[in-house]
Amino acid sequence: MTVRLTSVDNQFHTDGGGQHQWAVDELGLNIVAPALGSESLTFIPDQQGTYTFYCDICCGGRANPTMQGTLIVEA
Ligand SMILES: [Cu+2]
């Protein structure tokens, strides 16, 4: 699968200079999108499960449950 992360914040955004992140610790995944840009990552999940993704650059990271999402990997 391919995940493409896009930041709609510019370089003047406080905290992180417009960068955002998509990180899944359990799968060792980390994408950082530049200000007003995109970054992609293609990977094949090797284990089923439910994983939390988050941005730790400016969105509060794992400590902010309102800014987290869930990645579900099924067979
Ligand atoms: Cu962010």
Side-chain angles (χ1 to χ4, degrees), residues 16-45:
Q19 290 185 326
H20 287 278
Q21 178 187 32
W22 186 86
V24 184
D25 291 345
E26 296 89 343
L27 299 176
L29 303 173
N30 183 36
I31 305 171
V32 176
L36 299 177
S38 297
E39 186 61 60
S40 298
L41 178 67
T42 298
F43 60 96
I44 299 174

